[in-house]
Amino acid sequence: MCHFPQRSSVWSFPKLCSISWRFYHTSTAHMCSCSKTVSDEKYQDPFQLGRKDLKNLYEDIKKELLVSTAELREMCEYYFDGKGKAFRPMIVVLMARACNIHHSNSREVQASQRSVAIIAEMIHTASLVHDDVIDDANSRRGKMTVNQIWGERKAVLAGDFILSAASLALARIGNTTIISVLTQVIEDLVRGEFLQLGSKENENERFAHYLEKTFKKTASLIANSCKAVSILGCPDPKVHEIAYQYGKNVGIAFQLIDDVLDFTSSADHLGKPAAADLKLGLATGPVLFACRQFPEMNAMIMRRFSKPGDVERARKYVLQSDGVQQTTYLAQRYCHEATREISKLRPSPEREALIQLTEMVLMRDK
């Protein structure tokens, strides 16, 4: 069993890194399997269970975006078209209910907890707009990006505006602890982007760097949003830590699978270009595992796949190696840890739905 840090403020990335490389040498017979975690009798469709609390989610977000300029309003509302998965708000409202039931046997989501779900989706979407500018991306969710339609400068301002609207919504909650927890997400997003711009020569440091970047860019939002609703619903710090650890582990697993799909799914299916990470010079989990079998990839990683033919060769090496399989195993371990954490809460349909969500993270294909 892997050992995860017990305090949310402490991240021992070298330890996590050594764990990750140990996975590489573990036979498939001994790998964790999260399948059949939830029996048919207990099965809860998370999206059905959370639908009531997320009704009119995107309409409510648009109400937060009070813009007088028509063009800015159109840009800000572009991704709030109801066609997204709403994965993050779904986790947040289910966590809110699970914690409320655990503490007071109340299944109702408080208005402030629902606000956290809205804020989480706004922060996430603002980060997508900014990411697309940094990456010069031309497609997202099967349609053109904001920067491709309106230009980079206006896209940056649109992302900033969405963040400012999220900040105002956060201030209206009126809880300084919640403000502190969720502003940490914005700091982590910026730090994660800077980490992504760098690379490490040492293999162990490289994987630790990758995991830290993954936490800050993806998992921090889910972890801290889950923690925020747990604070609003329950005074017990142990419950806050359970919520945080669940969100952290699910968030990392989600990104690991995203990195796998970059090699295994078509562009049409993903709604964005395939092999996009390699083209951006990024060495994700499948690449780092493949590098163990094909050491010649080290030079390509250090030059960020910048030479002609690097991207194609690196993709070929990854698909010839077990990099995809090993990254998937690693995601399974994080999902297993998320399940172990959330299982500490009192049994409820919402708790079972959160367990089921870990299965959905592993099984998704886009």
Side-chain angles (χ1 to χ4, degrees):
M1 182 67 197
C2 55
H3 301 284
F4 289 77
Q6 294 304 305
R7 294 179 57 198
S8 58
S9 60
V10 178
W11 264 78
S12 179
F13 288 104
K15 180 186 286 186
L16 282 174
C17 176
S18 64
I19 290 166
S20 301
W21 288 128
R22 286 208 302 274
F23 290 159
Y24 181 87
H25 298 291
T26 307
S27 69
T28 57
H30 291 91
M31 294 309 297
C32 161
S33 172
C34 294
S35 60
K36 308 296 183 185
T37 303
V38 184
S39 67
D40 291 339
E41 292 76 15
K42 288 184 176 181
Y43 178 83
Q44 297 288 339
D45 182 342
F47 289 89
Q48 282 290 100
L49 201 56
R51 180 170 291 176
K52 181 187 79 169
D53 299 312
L54 295 182
K55 187 179 179 181
N56 300 322
L57 172 76
Y58 292 106
E59 287 78 3
D60 291 342
I61 288 175
K62 289 174 183 178
K63 289 176 185 175
E64 298 289 346
L65 300 169
L66 300 174
V67 191
S68 57
T69 307
E71 185 181 39
L72 182 56
R73 184 188 308 113
E74 187 180 0
M75 291 168 66
C76 291
E77 293 180 357
Y78 186 67
Y79 288 137
F80 299 120
D81 57 4
K83 295 180 181 178
K85 295 183 286 289
F87 176 74
R88 290 154 188 82
M90 182 63 61
I91 289 182
V92 172
V93 296
L94 289 175
M95 181 62 74
R97 280 213 238 165
C99 291
N100 294 351
I101 292 167
H102 180 83
H103 174 60
S104 61
N105 209 27
S106 170
R107 190 162 267 123
E108 294 303 309
V109 172
Q110 300 171 25
S112 58
Q113 290 174 317
R114 188 175 184 277
S115 291
V116 171
I118 288 173
I119 292 163
E121 186 68 359
M122 292 175 76
I123 293 173
H124 170 60
T125 302
S127 74
L128 295 184
V129 174
H130 283 159
D131 277 356
D132 288 343
V133 172
I134 293 168
D135 300 341
D136 193 26
N138 55 28
S139 64
R140 166 82 64 180
R141 295 176 179 171
K143 60 183 184 179
M144 290 178 68
T145 55
V146 171
N147 48 292
Q148 286 293 313
I149 299 173
W150 287 280
E152 289 186 359
R153 292 182 181 181
K154 289 182 178 179
V156 170
L157 294 173
D160 290 346
F161 188 85
I162 296 169
L163 275 179
S164 70
S167 299
L168 286 172
L170 177 57
R172 283 200 298 274
I173 292 177
N175 184 313
T176 55
T177 302
I178 302 304
I179 291 171
S180 178
V181 168
L182 290 180
T183 51
Q184 181 63 49
V185 173
I186 299 174
E187 178 184 332
D188 284 343
L189 282 168
V190 175
R191 290 184 181 275
E193 198 63 54
F194 270 94
L195 284 169
Q196 184 163 287
L197 294 173
S199 58
K200 298 287 184 180
E201 287 193 42
N202 179 276
E203 286 183 15
N204 281 345
E205 286 183 7
R206 194 183 288 155
F207 210 98
H209 185 93
Y210 166 66
L211 287 175
E212 184 179 8
K213 182 270 296 182
T214 297
F215 169 74
K216 290 187 183 301
K217 283 203 65 178
T218 303
S220 174
L221 174 60
I222 301 173
N224 283 296
S225 298
C226 285
K227 182 178 181 179
V229 292
S230 74
I231 291 169
L232 290 167
C234 177
D236 186 354
K238 292 180 180 177
V239 173
H240 307 162
E241 185 65 9
I242 289 167
Y244 180 91
Q245 292 293 334
Y246 174 86
K248 179 191 78 175
N249 284 286
V250 164
I252 292 175
F254 185 93
Q255 187 58 50
L256 289 170
I257 295 300
D258 211 55
D259 293 342
V260 164
L261 292 175
D262 198 46
F263 289 94
T264 60
S265 287
S266 66
D268 289 342
H269 202 61
L270 286 175
K272 56 186 178 182
D277 292 330
L278 285 176
K279 292 169 186 173
L280 291 170
L282 305 179
T284 57
V287 173
L288 296 177
F289 277 119
C291 192
R292 302 285 288 186
Q293 290 171 268
F294 298 99
E296 53 267 43
M297 292 181 71
N298 275 303
M300 286 190 279
I301 290 171
M302 291 312 300
R303 62 178 178 256
R304 299 178 74 87
F305 313 104
S306 59
K307 283 190 176 181
D310 276 358
V311 169
E312 292 74 18
R313 279 205 301 148
R315 180 176 171 80
K316 181 181 176 182
Y317 283 140
V318 168
L319 296 177
Q320 287 177 349
S321 74
D322 60 0
V324 164
Q325 186 182 41
Q326 293 294 336
T327 306
T328 303
Y329 289 157
L330 184 55
Q332 287 179 343
R333 293 303 293 254
Y334 279 108
C335 282
H336 178 78
E337 183 65 13
T339 297
R340 191 181 71 83
E341 287 290 340
I342 201 66
S343 296
K344 297 174 183 176
L345 295 185
R346 179 187 297 181
S348 67
E350 287 75 13
R351 188 192 77 167
E352 298 306 322
L354 286 167
I355 293 172
Q356 184 60 30
L357 264 174
T358 67
E359 291 283 321
M360 295 174 71
V361 164
L362 294 172
M363 298 301 292
R364 72 191 185 95
D365 57 4
K366 63 180 179 178

mmCIF file with all atom_site columns, all heavy atoms in Angstrom, residues 318-340:
data_model
loop_
_atom_site.group_PDB
_atom_site.id
_atom_site.type_symbol
_atom_site.label_atom_id
_atom_site.label_alt_id
_atom_site.label_comp_id
_atom_site.label_asym_id
_atom_site.label_entity_id
_atom_site.label_seq_id
_atom_site.pdbx_PDB_ins_code
_atom_site.Cartn_x
_atom_site.Cartn_y
_atom_site.Cartn_z
_atom_site.occupancy
_atom_site.B_iso_or_equiv
_atom_site.pdbx_formal_charge
_atom_site.auth_seq_id
_atom_site.auth_comp_id
_atom_site.auth_asym_id
_atom_site.auth_atom_id
_atom_site.pdbx_PDB_model_num
ATOM 1   N N   . VAL A 1 318 ? 6.255   5.684  -26.922 1.00 0.00 ? 318 VAL A N   1
ATOM 2   C CA  . VAL A 1 318 ? 5.243   5.542  -25.864 1.00 0.00 ? 318 VAL A CA  1
ATOM 3   C C   . VAL A 1 318 ? 4.303   4.386  -26.182 1.00 0.00 ? 318 VAL A C   1
ATOM 4   O O   . VAL A 1 318 ? 4.002   3.547  -25.318 1.00 0.00 ? 318 VAL A O   1
ATOM 5   C CB  . VAL A 1 318 ? 4.437   6.851  -25.692 1.00 0.00 ? 318 VAL A CB  1
ATOM 6   C CG1 . VAL A 1 318 ? 3.207   6.621  -24.815 1.00 0.00 ? 318 VAL A CG1 1
ATOM 7   C CG2 . VAL A 1 318 ? 5.307   7.942  -25.070 1.00 0.00 ? 318 VAL A CG2 1
ATOM 8   N N   . LEU A 1 319 ? 3.841   4.310  -27.417 1.00 0.00 ? 319 LEU A N   1
ATOM 9   C CA  . LEU A 1 319 ? 2.887   3.262  -27.786 1.00 0.00 ? 319 LEU A CA  1
ATOM 10  C C   . LEU A 1 319 ? 3.540   1.881  -27.852 1.00 0.00 ? 319 LEU A C   1
ATOM 11  O O   . LEU A 1 319 ? 2.864   0.863  -27.673 1.00 0.00 ? 319 LEU A O   1
ATOM 12  C CB  . LEU A 1 319 ? 2.233   3.607  -29.127 1.00 0.00 ? 319 LEU A CB  1
ATOM 13  C CG  . LEU A 1 319 ? 1.381   4.892  -29.111 1.00 0.00 ? 319 LEU A CG  1
ATOM 14  C CD1 . LEU A 1 319 ? 0.830   5.202  -30.501 1.00 0.00 ? 319 LEU A CD1 1
ATOM 15  C CD2 . LEU A 1 319 ? 0.240   4.774  -28.099 1.00 0.00 ? 319 LEU A CD2 1
ATOM 16  N N   . GLN A 1 320 ? 4.862   1.836  -28.061 1.00 0.00 ? 320 GLN A N   1
ATOM 17  C CA  . GLN A 1 320 ? 5.580   0.554  -28.040 1.00 0.00 ? 320 GLN A CA  1
ATOM 18  C C   . GLN A 1 320 ? 5.894   0.108  -26.613 1.00 0.00 ? 320 GLN A C   1
ATOM 19  O O   . GLN A 1 320 ? 6.107   -1.076 -26.360 1.00 0.00 ? 320 GLN A O   1
ATOM 20  C CB  . GLN A 1 320 ? 6.890   0.673  -28.834 1.00 0.00 ? 320 GLN A CB  1
ATOM 21  C CG  . GLN A 1 320 ? 6.714   0.727  -30.344 1.00 0.00 ? 320 GLN A CG  1
ATOM 22  C CD  . GLN A 1 320 ? 8.040   0.906  -31.068 1.00 0.00 ? 320 GLN A CD  1
ATOM 23  O OE1 . GLN A 1 320 ? 9.068   1.191  -30.458 1.00 0.00 ? 320 GLN A OE1 1
ATOM 24  N NE2 . GLN A 1 320 ? 8.017   0.745  -32.393 1.00 0.00 ? 320 GLN A NE2 1
ATOM 25  N N   . SER A 1 321 ? 5.920   1.050  -25.690 1.00 0.00 ? 321 SER A N   1
ATOM 26  C CA  . SER A 1 321 ? 6.242   0.749  -24.292 1.00 0.00 ? 321 SER A CA  1
ATOM 27  C C   . SER A 1 321 ? 4.968   0.432  -23.513 1.00 0.00 ? 321 SER A C   1
ATOM 28  O O   . SER A 1 321 ? 3.875   0.378  -24.091 1.00 0.00 ? 321 SER A O   1
ATOM 29  C CB  . SER A 1 321 ? 6.928   1.957  -23.658 1.00 0.00 ? 321 SER A CB  1
ATOM 30  O OG  . SER A 1 321 ? 5.971   2.984  -23.404 1.00 0.00 ? 321 SER A OG  1
ATOM 31  N N   . ASP A 1 322 ? 5.120   0.236  -22.204 1.00 0.00 ? 322 ASP A N   1
ATOM 32  C CA  . ASP A 1 322 ? 3.930   0.074  -21.368 1.00 0.00 ? 322 ASP A CA  1
ATOM 33  C C   . ASP A 1 322 ? 3.655   1.362  -20.586 1.00 0.00 ? 322 ASP A C   1
ATOM 34  O O   . ASP A 1 322 ? 3.066   1.332  -19.514 1.00 0.00 ? 322 ASP A O   1
ATOM 35  C CB  . ASP A 1 322 ? 4.067   -1.116 -20.422 1.00 0.00 ? 322 ASP A CB  1
ATOM 36  C CG  . ASP A 1 322 ? 5.255   -0.989 -19.485 1.00 0.00 ? 322 ASP A CG  1
ATOM 37  O OD1 . ASP A 1 322 ? 5.973   0.030  -19.560 1.00 0.00 ? 322 ASP A OD1 1
ATOM 38  O OD2 . ASP A 1 322 ? 5.461   -1.902 -18.655 1.00 0.00 ? 322 ASP A OD2 1
ATOM 39  N N   . GLY A 1 323 ? 4.069   2.500  -21.152 1.00 0.00 ? 323 GLY A N   1
ATOM 40  C CA  . GLY A 1 323 ? 3.866   3.786  -20.497 1.00 0.00 ? 323 GLY A CA  1
ATOM 41  C C   . GLY A 1 323 ? 2.412   4.115  -20.246 1.00 0.00 ? 323 GLY A C   1
ATOM 42  O O   . GLY A 1 323 ? 2.051   4.617  -19.170 1.00 0.00 ? 323 GLY A O   1
ATOM 43  N N   . VAL A 1 324 ? 1.568   3.828  -21.237 1.00 0.00 ? 324 VAL A N   1
ATOM 44  C CA  . VAL A 1 324 ? 0.133   4.073  -21.081 1.00 0.00 ? 324 VAL A CA  1
ATOM 45  C C   . VAL A 1 324 ? -0.433  3.190  -19.981 1.00 0.00 ? 324 VAL A C   1
ATOM 46  O O   . VAL A 1 324 ? -1.194  3.647  -19.108 1.00 0.00 ? 324 VAL A O   1
ATOM 47  C CB  . VAL A 1 324 ? -0.604  3.826  -22.417 1.00 0.00 ? 324 VAL A CB  1
ATOM 48  C CG1 . VAL A 1 324 ? -2.111  3.698  -22.203 1.00 0.00 ? 324 VAL A CG1 1
ATOM 49  C CG2 . VAL A 1 324 ? -0.304  4.963  -23.391 1.00 0.00 ? 324 VAL A CG2 1
ATOM 50  N N   . GLN A 1 325 ? -0.056  1.914  -19.992 1.00 0.00 ? 325 GLN A N   1
ATOM 51  C CA  . GLN A 1 325 ? -0.545  0.971  -18.992 1.00 0.00 ? 325 GLN A CA  1
ATOM 52  C C   . GLN A 1 325 ? -0.087  1.358  -17.583 1.00 0.00 ? 325 GLN A C   1
ATOM 53  O O   . GLN A 1 325 ? -0.881  1.358  -16.634 1.00 0.00 ? 325 GLN A O   1
ATOM 54  C CB  . GLN A 1 325 ? -0.039  -0.436 -19.340 1.00 0.00 ? 325 GLN A CB  1
ATOM 55  C CG  . GLN A 1 325 ? -0.605  -1.542 -18.458 1.00 0.00 ? 325 GLN A CG  1
ATOM 56  C CD  . GLN A 1 325 ? -0.014  -2.897 -18.843 1.00 0.00 ? 325 GLN A CD  1
ATOM 57  O OE1 . GLN A 1 325 ? 1.173   -2.998 -19.121 1.00 0.00 ? 325 GLN A OE1 1
ATOM 58  N NE2 . GLN A 1 325 ? -0.852  -3.919 -18.853 1.00 0.00 ? 325 GLN A NE2 1
ATOM 59  N N   . GLN A 1 326 ? 1.179   1.737  -17.449 1.00 0.00 ? 326 GLN A N   1
ATOM 60  C CA  . GLN A 1 326 ? 1.706   2.091  -16.138 1.00 0.00 ? 326 GLN A CA  1
ATOM 61  C C   . GLN A 1 326 ? 1.071   3.372  -15.605 1.00 0.00 ? 326 GLN A C   1
ATOM 62  O O   . GLN A 1 326 ? 0.815   3.483  -14.396 1.00 0.00 ? 326 GLN A O   1
ATOM 63  C CB  . GLN A 1 326 ? 3.231   2.253  -16.201 1.00 0.00 ? 326 GLN A CB  1
ATOM 64  C CG  . GLN A 1 326 ? 3.993   0.962  -16.490 1.00 0.00 ? 326 GLN A CG  1
ATOM 65  C CD  . GLN A 1 326 ? 3.857   -0.054 -15.362 1.00 0.00 ? 326 GLN A CD  1
ATOM 66  O OE1 . GLN A 1 326 ? 3.601   0.297  -14.221 1.00 0.00 ? 326 GLN A OE1 1
ATOM 67  N NE2 . GLN A 1 326 ? 4.053   -1.314 -15.690 1.00 0.00 ? 326 GLN A NE2 1
ATOM 68  N N   . THR A 1 327 ? 0.807   4.327  -16.475 1.00 0.00 ? 327 THR A N   1
ATOM 69  C CA  . THR A 1 327 ? 0.141   5.553  -16.041 1.00 0.00 ? 327 THR A CA  1
ATOM 70  C C   . THR A 1 327 ? -1.286  5.261  -15.589 1.00 0.00 ? 327 THR A C   1
ATOM 71  O O   . THR A 1 327 ? -1.771  5.830  -14.610 1.00 0.00 ? 327 THR A O   1
ATOM 72  C CB  . THR A 1 327 ? 0.132   6.595  -17.182 1.00 0.00 ? 327 THR A CB  1
ATOM 73  O OG1 . THR A 1 327 ? 1.468   6.788  -17.655 1.00 0.00 ? 327 THR A OG1 1
ATOM 74  C CG2 . THR A 1 327 ? -0.422  7.927  -16.700 1.00 0.00 ? 327 THR A CG2 1
ATOM 75  N N   . THR A 1 328 ? -1.949  4.351  -16.291 1.00 0.00 ? 328 THR A N   1
ATOM 76  C CA  . THR A 1 328 ? -3.294  3.941  -15.896 1.00 0.00 ? 328 THR A CA  1
ATOM 77  C C   . THR A 1 328 ? -3.269  3.247  -14.539 1.00 0.00 ? 328 THR A C   1
ATOM 78  O O   . THR A 1 328 ? -4.138  3.492  -13.687 1.00 0.00 ? 328 THR A O   1
ATOM 79  C CB  . THR A 1 328 ? -3.907  3.007  -16.960 1.00 0.00 ? 328 THR A CB  1
ATOM 80  O OG1 . THR A 1 328 ? -3.900  3.673  -18.226 1.00 0.00 ? 328 THR A OG1 1
ATOM 81  C CG2 . THR A 1 328 ? -5.335  2.630  -16.597 1.00 0.00 ? 328 THR A CG2 1
ATOM 82  N N   . TYR A 1 329 ? -2.274  2.384  -14.307 1.00 0.00 ? 329 TYR A N   1
ATOM 83  C CA  . TYR A 1 329 ? -2.134  1.738  -13.000 1.00 0.00 ? 329 TYR A CA  1
ATOM 84  C C   . TYR A 1 329 ? -1.941  2.777  -11.895 1.00 0.00 ? 329 TYR A C   1
ATOM 85  O O   . TYR A 1 329 ? -2.506  2.661  -10.803 1.00 0.00 ? 329 TYR A O   1
ATOM 86  C CB  . TYR A 1 329 ? -0.930  0.784  -12.996 1.00 0.00 ? 329 TYR A CB  1
ATOM 87  C CG  . TYR A 1 329 ? -1.102  -0.466 -13.814 1.00 0.00 ? 329 TYR A CG  1
ATOM 88  C CD1 . TYR A 1 329 ? 0.009   -1.166 -14.288 1.00 0.00 ? 329 TYR A CD1 1
ATOM 89  C CD2 . TYR A 1 329 ? -2.366  -0.966 -14.121 1.00 0.00 ? 329 TYR A CD2 1
ATOM 90  C CE1 . TYR A 1 329 ? -0.138  -2.318 -15.047 1.00 0.00 ? 329 TYR A CE1 1
ATOM 91  C CE2 . TYR A 1 329 ? -2.524  -2.106 -14.870 1.00 0.00 ? 329 TYR A CE2 1
ATOM 92  C CZ  . TYR A 1 329 ? -1.401  -2.789 -15.336 1.00 0.00 ? 329 TYR A CZ  1
ATOM 93  O OH  . TYR A 1 329 ? -1.545  -3.926 -16.080 1.00 0.00 ? 329 TYR A OH  1
ATOM 94  N N   . LEU A 1 330 ? -1.147  3.786  -12.190 1.00 0.00 ? 330 LEU A N   1
ATOM 95  C CA  . LEU A 1 330 ? -0.900  4.834  -11.203 1.00 0.00 ? 330 LEU A CA  1
ATOM 96  C C   . LEU A 1 330 ? -2.203  5.574  -10.884 1.00 0.00 ? 330 LEU A C   1
ATOM 97  O O   . LEU A 1 330 ? -2.496  5.872  -9.721  1.00 0.00 ? 330 LEU A O   1
ATOM 98  C CB  . LEU A 1 330 ? 0.160   5.805  -11.734 1.00 0.00 ? 330 LEU A CB  1
ATOM 99  C CG  . LEU A 1 330 ? 0.627   6.921  -10.797 1.00 0.00 ? 330 LEU A CG  1
ATOM 100 C CD1 . LEU A 1 330 ? 1.124   6.359  -9.474  1.00 0.00 ? 330 LEU A CD1 1
ATOM 101 C CD2 . LEU A 1 330 ? 1.714   7.748  -11.465 1.00 0.00 ? 330 LEU A CD2 1
ATOM 102 N N   . ALA A 1 331 ? -2.997  5.857  -11.907 1.00 0.00 ? 331 ALA A N   1
ATOM 103 C CA  . ALA A 1 331 ? -4.304  6.493  -11.699 1.00 0.00 ? 331 ALA A CA  1
ATOM 104 C C   . ALA A 1 331 ? -5.200  5.607  -10.842 1.00 0.00 ? 331 ALA A C   1
ATOM 105 O O   . ALA A 1 331 ? -5.936  6.103  -9.975  1.00 0.00 ? 331 ALA A O   1
ATOM 106 C CB  . ALA A 1 331 ? -4.972  6.770  -13.051 1.00 0.00 ? 331 ALA A CB  1
ATOM 107 N N   . GLN A 1 332 ? -5.136  4.297  -11.053 1.00 0.00 ? 332 GLN A N   1
ATOM 108 C CA  . GLN A 1 332 ? -5.915  3.369  -10.230 1.00 0.00 ? 332 GLN A CA  1
ATOM 109 C C   . GLN A 1 332 ? -5.531  3.477  -8.762  1.00 0.00 ? 332 GLN A C   1
ATOM 110 O O   . GLN A 1 332 ? -6.392  3.437  -7.874  1.00 0.00 ? 332 GLN A O   1
ATOM 111 C CB  . GLN A 1 332 ? -5.712  1.931  -10.712 1.00 0.00 ? 332 GLN A CB  1
ATOM 112 C CG  . GLN A 1 332 ? -6.397  1.607  -12.021 1.00 0.00 ? 332 GLN A CG  1
ATOM 113 C CD  . GLN A 1 332 ? -6.131  0.166  -12.463 1.00 0.00 ? 332 GLN A CD  1
ATOM 114 O OE1 . GLN A 1 332 ? -5.207  -0.481 -11.984 1.00 0.00 ? 332 GLN A OE1 1
ATOM 115 N NE2 . GLN A 1 332 ? -6.937  -0.318 -13.386 1.00 0.00 ? 332 GLN A NE2 1
ATOM 116 N N   . ARG A 1 333 ? -4.245  3.609  -8.504  1.00 0.00 ? 333 ARG A N   1
ATOM 117 C CA  . ARG A 1 333 ? -3.804  3.721  -7.114  1.00 0.00 ? 333 ARG A CA  1
ATOM 118 C C   . ARG A 1 333 ? -4.334  4.994  -6.456  1.00 0.00 ? 333 ARG A C   1
ATOM 119 O O   . ARG A 1 333 ? -4.744  4.985  -5.293  1.00 0.00 ? 333 ARG A O   1
ATOM 120 C CB  . ARG A 1 333 ? -2.274  3.685  -7.036  1.00 0.00 ? 333 ARG A CB  1
ATOM 121 C CG  . ARG A 1 333 ? -1.643  2.339  -7.432  1.00 0.00 ? 333 ARG A CG  1
ATOM 122 C CD  . ARG A 1 333 ? -2.156  1.176  -6.604  1.00 0.00 ? 333 ARG A CD  1
ATOM 123 N NE  . ARG A 1 333 ? -1.763  1.235  -5.214  1.00 0.00 ? 333 ARG A NE  1
ATOM 124 C CZ  . ARG A 1 333 ? -0.830  0.475  -4.652  1.00 0.00 ? 333 ARG A CZ  1
ATOM 125 N NH1 . ARG A 1 333 ? -0.176  -0.409 -5.373  1.00 0.00 ? 333 ARG A NH1 1
ATOM 126 N NH2 . ARG A 1 333 ? -0.569  0.578  -3.372  1.00 0.00 ? 333 ARG A NH2 1
ATOM 127 N N   . TYR A 1 334 ? -4.322  6.080  -7.204  1.00 0.00 ? 334 TYR A N   1
ATOM 128 C CA  . TYR A 1 334 ? -4.872  7.322  -6.651  1.00 0.00 ? 334 TYR A CA  1
ATOM 129 C C   . TYR A 1 334 ? -6.379  7.204  -6.422  1.00 0.00 ? 334 TYR A C   1
ATOM 130 O O   . TYR A 1 334 ? -6.905  7.697  -5.413  1.00 0.00 ? 334 TYR A O   1
ATOM 131 C CB  . TYR A 1 334 ? -4.542  8.499  -7.576  1.00 0.00 ? 334 TYR A CB  1
ATOM 132 C CG  . TYR A 1 334 ? -3.145  9.033  -7.384  1.00 0.00 ? 334 TYR A CG  1
ATOM 133 C CD1 . TYR A 1 334 ? -2.152  8.813  -8.334  1.00 0.00 ? 334 TYR A CD1 1
ATOM 134 C CD2 . TYR A 1 334 ? -2.809  9.763  -6.242  1.00 0.00 ? 334 TYR A CD2 1
ATOM 135 C CE1 . TYR A 1 334 ? -0.862  9.295  -8.154  1.00 0.00 ? 334 TYR A CE1 1
ATOM 136 C CE2 . TYR A 1 334 ? -1.527  10.244 -6.053  1.00 0.00 ? 334 TYR A CE2 1
ATOM 137 C CZ  . TYR A 1 334 ? -0.552  10.009 -7.013  1.00 0.00 ? 334 TYR A CZ  1
ATOM 138 O OH  . TYR A 1 334 ? 0.733   10.489 -6.823  1.00 0.00 ? 334 TYR A OH  1
ATOM 139 N N   . CYS A 1 335 ? -7.081  6.554  -7.334  1.00 0.00 ? 335 CYS A N   1
ATOM 140 C CA  . CYS A 1 335 ? -8.519  6.342  -7.143  1.00 0.00 ? 335 CYS A CA  1
ATOM 141 C C   . CYS A 1 335 ? -8.797  5.435  -5.945  1.00 0.00 ? 335 CYS A C   1
ATOM 142 O O   . CYS A 1 335 ? -9.754  5.649  -5.200  1.00 0.00 ? 335 CYS A O   1
ATOM 143 C CB  . CYS A 1 335 ? -9.141  5.756  -8.414  1.00 0.00 ? 335 CYS A CB  1
ATOM 144 S SG  . CYS A 1 335 ? -9.422  6.996  -9.702  1.00 0.00 ? 335 CYS A SG  1
ATOM 145 N N   . HIS A 1 336 ? -7.950  4.438  -5.770  1.00 0.00 ? 336 HIS A N   1
ATOM 146 C CA  . HIS A 1 336 ? -8.087  3.552  -4.615  1.00 0.00 ? 336 HIS A CA  1
ATOM 147 C C   . HIS A 1 336 ? -7.923  4.354  -3.323  1.00 0.00 ? 336 HIS A C   1
ATOM 148 O O   . HIS A 1 336 ? -8.677  4.167  -2.356  1.00 0.00 ? 336 HIS A O   1
ATOM 149 C CB  . HIS A 1 336 ? -7.037  2.442  -4.679  1.00 0.00 ? 336 HIS A CB  1
ATOM 150 C CG  . HIS A 1 336 ? -7.063  1.508  -3.502  1.00 0.00 ? 336 HIS A CG  1
ATOM 151 N ND1 . HIS A 1 336 ? -7.985  0.506  -3.370  1.00 0.00 ? 336 HIS A ND1 1
ATOM 152 C CD2 . HIS A 1 336 ? -6.269  1.445  -2.392  1.00 0.00 ? 336 HIS A CD2 1
ATOM 153 C CE1 . HIS A 1 336 ? -7.778  -0.138 -2.231  1.00 0.00 ? 336 HIS A CE1 1
ATOM 154 N NE2 . HIS A 1 336 ? -6.735  0.404  -1.622  1.00 0.00 ? 336 HIS A NE2 1
ATOM 155 N N   . GLU A 1 337 ? -6.965  5.252  -3.303  1.00 0.00 ? 337 GLU A N   1
ATOM 156 C CA  . GLU A 1 337 ? -6.741  6.073  -2.113  1.00 0.00 ? 337 GLU A CA  1
ATOM 157 C C   . GLU A 1 337 ? -7.919  7.020  -1.876  1.00 0.00 ? 337 GLU A C   1
ATOM 158 O O   . GLU A 1 337 ? -8.332  7.245  -0.733  1.00 0.00 ? 337 GLU A O   1
ATOM 159 C CB  . GLU A 1 337 ? -5.438  6.863  -2.260  1.00 0.00 ? 337 GLU A CB  1
ATOM 160 C CG  . GLU A 1 337 ? -5.063  7.693  -1.051  1.00 0.00 ? 337 GLU A CG  1
ATOM 161 C CD  . GLU A 1 337 ? -4.756  6.879  0.192   1.00 0.00 ? 337 GLU A CD  1
ATOM 162 O OE1 . GLU A 1 337 ? -4.585  5.648  0.084   1.00 0.00 ? 337 GLU A OE1 1
ATOM 163 O OE2 . GLU A 1 337 ? -4.679  7.478  1.282   1.00 0.00 ? 337 GLU A OE2 1
ATOM 164 N N   . ALA A 1 338 ? -8.479  7.579  -2.952  1.00 0.00 ? 338 ALA A N   1
ATOM 165 C CA  . ALA A 1 338 ? -9.661  8.441  -2.828  1.00 0.00 ? 338 ALA A CA  1
ATOM 166 C C   . ALA A 1 338 ? -10.832 7.666  -2.229  1.00 0.00 ? 338 ALA A C   1
ATOM 167 O O   . ALA A 1 338 ? -11.540 8.163  -1.339  1.00 0.00 ? 338 ALA A O   1
ATOM 168 C CB  . ALA A 1 338 ? -10.040 9.003  -4.198  1.00 0.00 ? 338 ALA A CB  1
ATOM 169 N N   . THR A 1 339 ? -11.023 6.434  -2.692  1.00 0.00 ? 339 THR A N   1
ATOM 170 C CA  . THR A 1 339 ? -12.088 5.580  -2.178  1.00 0.00 ? 339 THR A CA  1
ATOM 171 C C   . THR A 1 339 ? -11.862 5.260  -0.702  1.00 0.00 ? 339 THR A C   1
ATOM 172 O O   . THR A 1 339 ? -12.802 5.282  0.113   1.00 0.00 ? 339 THR A O   1
ATOM 173 C CB  . THR A 1 339 ? -12.168 4.273  -2.999  1.00 0.00 ? 339 THR A CB  1
ATOM 174 O OG1 . THR A 1 339 ? -12.517 4.600  -4.348  1.00 0.00 ? 339 THR A OG1 1
ATOM 175 C CG2 . THR A 1 339 ? -13.206 3.319  -2.427  1.00 0.00 ? 339 THR A CG2 1
ATOM 176 N N   . ARG A 1 340 ? -10.625 4.972  -0.347  1.00 0.00 ? 340 ARG A N   1
ATOM 177 C CA  . ARG A 1 340 ? -10.301 4.671  1.058   1.00 0.00 ? 340 ARG A CA  1
ATOM 178 C C   . ARG A 1 340 ? -10.625 5.862  1.958   1.00 0.00 ? 340 ARG A C   1
ATOM 179 O O   . ARG A 1 340 ? -11.162 5.698  3.056   1.00 0.00 ? 340 ARG A O   1
ATOM 180 C CB  . ARG A 1 340 ? -8.818  4.312  1.177   1.00 0.00 ? 340 ARG A CB  1
ATOM 181 C CG  . ARG A 1 340 ? -8.421  3.723  2.520   1.00 0.00 ? 340 ARG A CG  1
ATOM 182 C CD  . ARG A 1 340 ? -6.931  3.421  2.571   1.00 0.00 ? 340 ARG A CD  1
ATOM 183 N NE  . ARG A 1 340 ? -6.131  4.637  2.634   1.00 0.00 ? 340 ARG A NE  1
ATOM 184 C CZ  . ARG A 1 340 ? -5.890  5.297  3.776   1.00 0.00 ? 340 ARG A CZ  1
ATOM 185 N NH1 . ARG A 1 340 ? -6.396  4.877  4.911   1.00 0.00 ? 340 ARG A NH1 1
ATOM 186 N NH2 . ARG A 1 340 ? -5.148  6.399  3.748   1.00 0.00 ? 340 ARG A NH2 1
#
